């Protein structure tokens, strides 16, 4: 079928050429009626060097429960689970946001679990990258490379974009190499998709496919308006519905990672729901956009600022919001300590309330309360495991080989993801145990007696 189509095209082309005189390349007009022929090429020549390919490799660990019949055959000491390790490789995209420092933004899901991250630059260079920090809930990661003659992307205020604005996606789909597609901004403030924990997406019909994750969504000036993240793909390919994380959210998250090495999530201290048609009618409102506050937590940032249950939050720092999910995503990515101005409707009247965001609670424990050989270390729950945040010199924990920055990810053959689980698991252990540690992306075991 492909051959027939190709031959038909060739026949039609020959017939059409016979009807008109030959036109040389030089005779192709550079302007129509005095106006230059529009082209994205000049903008892309400036912008595409700032978009890179990201190749990752690592080992995926999977666990399967050992069938009861085998455990019965091998006795009480038989393992409860069978651990399998399989190598994996992946491809994605990234965006250079700081040429001097070599900072590159990509999606967390592109580099998650990777032991090796290689950056492919526009000029053909391949350079190993270091992971500076990541945030799983917003799906953003910050990498760094040591290289000269880099090009960084220009950034803009993504809150100023409108539905209908032209958008251009740049990335590395299917590992083909750098590819550019264009479209428009189809929608703003998309949430409730179940893609990420924090959702406030720009929707676009610019073609985005597998491998575009972490790439750039830019405006016609070549300025970054979003990081391409996900698509709706019933058949595995592009259907014109792609999603990007707004550049302002990315900027807030990256600033926190650079300053603190992590995202210090902002907390307002309210629970609520989207303002829908029924609520709007019940409160006599002529708008259906905003976040309805069901409850204000005592002593929270919202409580201190004077927010009340029944308030409807309609804007953040003068920018309107569509839903409670958008409110949640914007607040969480602004960072603890941020000063925020909320526009609200209370009893039909519009008001402005200023609040200073609190910080999400962190679970910390003096490790000596968990196990005597951990005395001298401070443990903290994190997304990847239990982190050793501090360790006293000469303490039992230091003598056992633990180091600051270590992540406890398992006990013997059991995966451990929280302090509570670790403490419960150690309560029943009378003999030596082996802690599974992740240190500088390497796994090792430390025996506690």
């Amino acid at each position: 079928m492909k051959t027939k189509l190709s031959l038909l095209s060739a026949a039609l082309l020959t017939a059409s050429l016979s009807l008109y005189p030959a036109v040389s390349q030089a005779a192709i007009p550079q302007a129509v009626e005095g106006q230059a022929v529009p082209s994205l090429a000049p903008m892309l020549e400036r912008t595409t060097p700032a978009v890179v390919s990201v190749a990752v490799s690592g080992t995926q660990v999977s666990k399967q429960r050992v069938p009861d019949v085998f455990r019965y055959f091998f006795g009480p000491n038989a393992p409860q689970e069978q651990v399998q390790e399989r190598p994996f490789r992946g491809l994605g995209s990234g965006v250079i946001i700081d040429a001097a420092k070599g900072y590159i933004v990509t999606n967390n899901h592109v580099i998650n679990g990777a032991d090796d991250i290689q950056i492919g630059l526009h000029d053909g260079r391949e350079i190993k990258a270091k992971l500076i920090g990541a945030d799983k809930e917003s799906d953003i990661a910050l990498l760094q490379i040591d290289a000269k003659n880099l090009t960084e992307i220009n950034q803009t205020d993504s809150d100023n974009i409108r539905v209908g604005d032209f958008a251009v996606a740049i990335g590395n789909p299917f590992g083909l190499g750098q590819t550019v597609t264009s479209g428009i901004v189809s929608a703003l403030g998309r949430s409730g998709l179940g893609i990420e924990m924090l959702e406030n997406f720009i929707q676009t019909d610019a073609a985005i496919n597998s491998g575009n994750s972490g790439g750039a969504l830019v405006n016609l000036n070549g300025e970054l308006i979003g990081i391409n993240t996900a698509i709706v793909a019933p058949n595995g390919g592009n259907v014109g519905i792609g999603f990007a994380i707004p550049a302002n959210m990315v900027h807030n998250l990256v600033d926190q990672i650079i300053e603190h090495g992590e995202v210090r999530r902002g907390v307002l201290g309210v629970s609520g729901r989207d303002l829908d048609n029924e609520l709007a009618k019940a409160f006599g409102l002529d708008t259906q956009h905003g976040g309805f506050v069901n409850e204000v937590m005592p002593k929270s940032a919202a409580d201190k600022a004077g927010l009340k249950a029944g308030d409807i939050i309609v804007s953040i720092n003068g920018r309107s919001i569509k839903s409670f999910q958008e409110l949640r995503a914007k607040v969480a990515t602004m960072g603890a300590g941020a000063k925020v101005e909320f526009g609200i409707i209370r009893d039909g009247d519009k008001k402005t309330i200023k609040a200073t965001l609190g910080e999400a609670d962190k679970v910390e424990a003096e490790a000596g309360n968990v196990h005597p050989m951990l005395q001298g270390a401070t443990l903290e729950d994190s997304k990847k495991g239990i982190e050793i945040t501090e360790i006293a010199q000469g303490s039992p924990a230091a003598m056992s080989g633990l180091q600051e920055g270590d992540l406890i990810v398992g006990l013997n053959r059991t995966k451990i993801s929280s302090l509570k689980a670790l403490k419960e698991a150690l309560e029943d252990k009378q003999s030596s145990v082996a802690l599974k540690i992740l240190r500088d992306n390497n796994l090792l075991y430390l025996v506690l007696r």
Side-chain angles (χ1 to χ4, degrees):
M1 188 66 181
K2 289 183 179 179
T3 303
K4 290 182 179 179
L5 286 173
S6 298
L7 291 173
L8 177 62
S9 299
L12 290 173
L13 178 61
T14 302
S16 64
L17 288 176
S18 66
L19 297 175
Y20 299 98
V23 179
S24 68
Q25 183 68 27
I28 296 176
Q30 299 302 310
V32 176
E33 295 182 355
Q35 300 294 317
V37 176
S39 173
L40 295 177
M43 178 273 285
L44 291 171
E45 287 169 358
R46 300 191 308 269
T47 307
T48 51
V51 182
V52 302
S53 65
V54 182
V56 301
S57 61
T59 302
Q60 188 175 30
V61 179
S62 61
K63 295 182 179 180
Q64 294 182 338
R65 181 179 173 82
V66 176
D68 291 340
V69 62
F70 288 103
R71 295 210 306 274
Y72 176 80
F73 180 78
F74 287 106
N77 295 324
Q80 299 292 313
E81 295 178 322
Q82 182 181 14
V83 180
Q84 293 182 337
E85 296 184 351
R86 296 180 179 177
F88 73 88
R89 294 181 180 276
L91 291 171
S93 307
V95 182
I96 301 173
I97 59 168
D98 190 323
K101 296 181 179 178
Y103 286 142
I104 296 172
V105 169
T106 186
N107 286 136
N108 177 71
H109 76 258
V110 171
I111 55 85
N112 188 36
D115 299 322
D116 182 68
I117 305 172
Q118 295 289 334
I119 300 299
L121 298 178
H122 188 261
D123 59 14
R125 286 179 290 171
E126 292 188 1
I127 302 171
K128 184 178 178 66
K130 176 175 66 173
L131 176 62
I132 301 300
D135 182 46
K136 182 179 179 181
E137 292 188 15
S138 59
D139 200 14
I140 284 295
L142 180 65
L143 310 176
Q144 187 175 33
I145 59 174
D146 184 6
K148 296 181 178 180
N149 300 320
L150 298 177
T151 300
E152 66 186 52
I153 201 160
N154 293 324
Q155 300 186 49
T156 189
D157 185 350
S158 59
D159 285 338
N160 288 332
I161 63 174
R162 300 174 299 170
V163 173
D165 285 351
F166 287 106
V168 178
I170 311 171
N172 180 34
F174 302 112
L176 292 172
Q178 193 173 87
T179 302
V180 177
T181 56
S182 65
I184 63 169
V185 174
S186 306
L188 297 170
R190 285 294 194 214
S191 61
L193 305 173
I195 299 171
E196 308 295 350
M197 292 290 291
L198 298 173
E199 297 182 342
N200 177 33
F201 292 120
I202 300 167
Q203 182 181 325
T204 180
D205 66 347
I208 296 174
N209 289 287
S210 178
N212 272 110
S213 290
L217 187 69
V218 302
N219 59 21
L220 292 187
N221 291 323
E223 297 166 325
L224 184 71
I225 60 176
I227 295 294
N228 300 322
T229 297
I231 58 173
V232 171
N235 301 314
N238 171 65
V239 293
I241 303 177
F243 301 102
I245 302 170
N248 285 5
M249 280 182 60
V250 175
H251 181 73
N252 288 336
L253 293 163
V254 167
D255 282 352
Q256 293 174 58
I257 292 173
I258 292 173
E259 183 176 355
H260 307 295
E262 62 180 358
V263 171
R264 296 189 174 178
R265 207 167 303 290
V267 175
L268 181 58
V270 298
S271 63
R273 53 177 290 189
D274 294 347
L275 179 66
D276 56 20
N277 186 46
E278 291 183 5
L279 275 174
K281 285 184 177 179
F283 281 81
L285 301 175
D286 57 1
T287 180
Q288 296 181 24
H289 290 164
F292 180 81
V293 178
N294 289 339
E295 181 183 4
V296 176
M297 309 306 172
K299 299 181 180 180
S300 65
D303 187 26
K304 295 174 183 177
L307 277 169
K308 298 179 180 179
D311 286 346
I312 299 163
I313 301 175
V314 294
S315 68
I316 299 177
N317 291 337
R319 312 284 182 143
S320 62
I321 60 169
K322 292 187 174 182
S323 64
F324 191 84
Q325 291 290 337
E326 183 180 352
L327 166 71
R328 178 173 173 265
K330 285 191 172 182
V331 165
T333 53
M334 281 180 176
K339 298 184 184 301
V340 186
E341 185 176 276
F342 295 96
I344 69 168
I345 298 176
R346 178 183 294 169
D347 300 327
D349 297 326
K350 294 183 178 180
K351 297 178 179 291
T352 299
I353 286 181
K354 296 181 180 180
T356 301
L357 300 181
E359 184 174 1
D361 292 336
K362 294 184 177 181
V363 181
E364 294 189 348
E366 213 296 316
N369 298 327
V370 179
H371 191 281
M373 289 303 296
L374 296 179
Q375 186 176 358
T378 301
L379 308 181
E380 178 181 315
D381 280 339
S382 73
K383 298 180 182 67
K384 296 181 179 180
I386 304 164
E387 183 178 2
I388 311 295
T389 57
E390 294 181 15
I391 194 160
Q393 188 175 2
S395 66
M399 297 294 288
S400 69
L402 285 170
Q403 297 179 12
E404 186 174 330
D406 283 352
L407 283 172
I408 300 174
V409 295
L411 181 69
N412 295 339
R413 292 181 176 271
T414 303
K415 182 179 179 180
I416 298 292
S417 58
S418 69
L419 280 168
K420 181 180 179 182
L422 177 64
K423 189 171 183 179
E424 290 175 351
L426 284 171
E427 284 176 351
D428 299 327
K429 304 295 183 184
Q430 302 298 324
S431 57
S432 299
V433 295
L435 287 181
K436 191 175 184 180
I437 302 293
L438 182 63
R439 178 182 297 166
D440 297 329
N441 290 324
N442 294 315
L443 288 173
L444 58 108
Y445 281 90
L446 294 178
V447 177
L448 302 182
R449 302 183 185 279

